[in-house]
Amino acid sequence: MIDWTDRHCRVFHRTMSRHARLFTEMVVDKAIIHGPRARLLGHDAAEHPVALQIGGSEPESLAEAVRLAAPFGYDEINLNVGCPSDRVQSGCFGAVLMKDPALVGRCVAAMIGAAEVPVTVKCRIGVDDQNPEEVLPAFLDTIAAAGVRQVTIHARKAWLQGLSPKENRDIPPLDYDLVLRMAQRFPDLSIAINGGITSLDQARDLMAQGLDGVMIGRAAYHDPMSVLSGADALWGEDFAPEPAEVLAAMRPYIAAHLAEGGRLHQITRHMLGLFTGRPGARAWRRYLSEHAGRPGAGLPVLDDAEGAVRAAA
């Protein structure tokens, strides 16, 4: 979710769920070490619980990144062993690490040694010609032996050659049954599932079969109300705000961002899906797309966009 789940996106999503754990976009360990940490890792207190997702393949570098991230107060550090993009492969991290579970074990052991919060892993069921039935349990054995207690499994293989990142999200077949068997085989691991899940009903069904959690990515971004508003029922809480309540909750954050010199579209680009599946959704997207990026755009643009929804509906 690089360039998607930035801090503004996460604040927006938090207005719809008080309990869902939010994840940052993946940040490379060396960027944390050498780059602008305040910009890369800064976040709003409202985002918690929030996990920092890191990419890397060198134990010492990852441990240093974890130590440097500690003052920012994340609730979890997640090592990405699932992203198949070309630029991730060229850095020798992401899904390509599924080919070297021993290295992943050393990486997470070093991270755990440096961390003050849980270190978790997000992985695939395998890559390329690997046999997931053999590779996945061996991989889980390795990271569990290194101290990992939570893992999220994207229930698809990643094909590192021949498929684009988008195709890797759609073409390799899903194997939920394999992930469910891993939950039974590794009762001491907290196992969540990812891939192809688009609704709360699917999430409830999978958790009822023995999984400890469900990770939803692009569906939560494109249709956040359907996925996040009402999700707190999974924690026994009746919290399901309507779009108007979400907009009211976002206004103080947007006003503060504008007062600091930020631009409206930096936030509203993440809000285009707020009315997905509802009357006026197209008018909302069109108005924000045309007006939020203009110089000086402010809260009145949000008011007019909401008015366009009402008019269209």
Side-chain angles (χ1 to χ4, degrees):
M1 302 294 282
I2 295 173
D3 298 327
W4 291 45
T5 52
D6 65 16
R7 60 191 301 175
H8 304 311
C9 174
R10 298 192 301 268
V11 168
F12 171 53
H13 284 176
R14 179 58 69 215
T15 64
M16 289 169 265
S17 170
R18 295 167 176 162
H19 296 284
R21 177 152 300 203
L22 305 178
F23 282 72
T24 70
E25 54 194 327
M26 186 175 64
V27 185
V28 178
D29 55 355
K30 288 182 173 57
I32 294 173
I33 295 169
H34 303 293
R37 280 190 290 279
R39 181 173 64 80
L40 292 170
L41 302 180
H43 58 279
D44 192 276
E47 296 176 38
H48 293 277
V50 59
L52 170 63
Q53 185 180 180
I54 294 180
S57 61
E58 299 172 10
E60 298 80 7
S61 179
L62 284 163
E64 180 64 12
V66 168
R67 282 190 287 269
L68 292 170
F72 291 87
Y74 284 94
D75 302 290
E76 171 187 331
I77 306 294
N78 179 263
L79 178 65
N80 186 302
V81 191
C83 182
S85 76
D86 292 338
R87 56 176 164 167
V88 168
Q89 288 185 57
S90 65
C92 196
F93 52 91
V96 69
L97 288 176
M98 294 292 297
K99 294 183 175 182
D100 195 346
L103 175 58
V104 177
R106 294 194 298 274
C107 287
V108 293
M111 294 169 71
I112 290 169
E116 301 172 0
V117 295
V119 172
T120 65
V121 170
K122 182 176 185 291
C123 68
R124 293 278 182 144
I125 61 173
V127 297
D128 297 339
D129 293 322
Q130 290 180 334
N131 179 357
E133 296 280 356
E134 299 174 358
V135 169
L136 185 58
F139 180 84
L140 295 178
D141 267 328
T142 300
I143 63 172
V148 170
R149 295 294 174 263
Q150 299 176 50
V151 59
T152 298
I153 304 172
H154 187 144
R156 285 187 175 96
K157 269 189 177 184
W159 288 93
L160 303 178
Q161 301 294 329
L163 292 182
S164 69
K166 182 180 185 304
E167 290 169 331
N168 263 302
R169 295 193 298 269
D170 301 322
I171 293 177
L174 288 160
D175 193 345
Y176 290 166
D177 287 342
L178 175 60
V179 181
L180 289 165
R181 291 199 299 275
M182 293 303 101
Q184 296 173 347
R185 181 166 173 172
F186 294 90
D188 293 333
L189 277 179
S190 175
I191 295 181
I193 193 168
N194 173 235
I197 302 155
T198 60
S199 71
L200 287 177
D201 286 340
Q202 281 180 282
R204 291 188 189 96
D205 179 63
L206 287 163
M207 293 176 69
Q209 295 180 63
L211 292 167
D212 297 294
V214 172
M215 176 182 280
I216 303 179
R218 281 161 178 79
Y221 189 92
H222 293 302
D223 188 3
M225 287 296 297
S226 293
V227 173
L228 291 167
S229 183
D232 285 2
L234 295 171
W235 287 268
E237 184 171 330
D238 183 18
F239 179 67
E242 289 297 319
E245 297 171 284
V246 171
L247 289 175
M250 285 297 295
R251 289 182 68 89
Y253 180 81
I254 294 173
H257 176 69
L258 295 174
E260 293 170 357
R263 301 189 64 181
L264 181 64
H265 77 94
Q266 292 172 317
I267 298 176
T268 57
R269 72 185 185 95
H270 300 298
M271 299 172 63
L272 296 178
L274 180 61
F275 290 90
T276 295
R278 297 169 182 246
R282 182 177 297 179
W284 167 260
R285 292 193 302 270
R286 181 187 298 120
Y287 197 91
L288 285 183
S289 298
E290 292 176 355
H291 295 86
R294 295 180 178 177
L299 287 171
V301 170
L302 206 65
D303 297 333
D304 291 343
E306 192 173 8
V309 171
R310 289 193 295 268

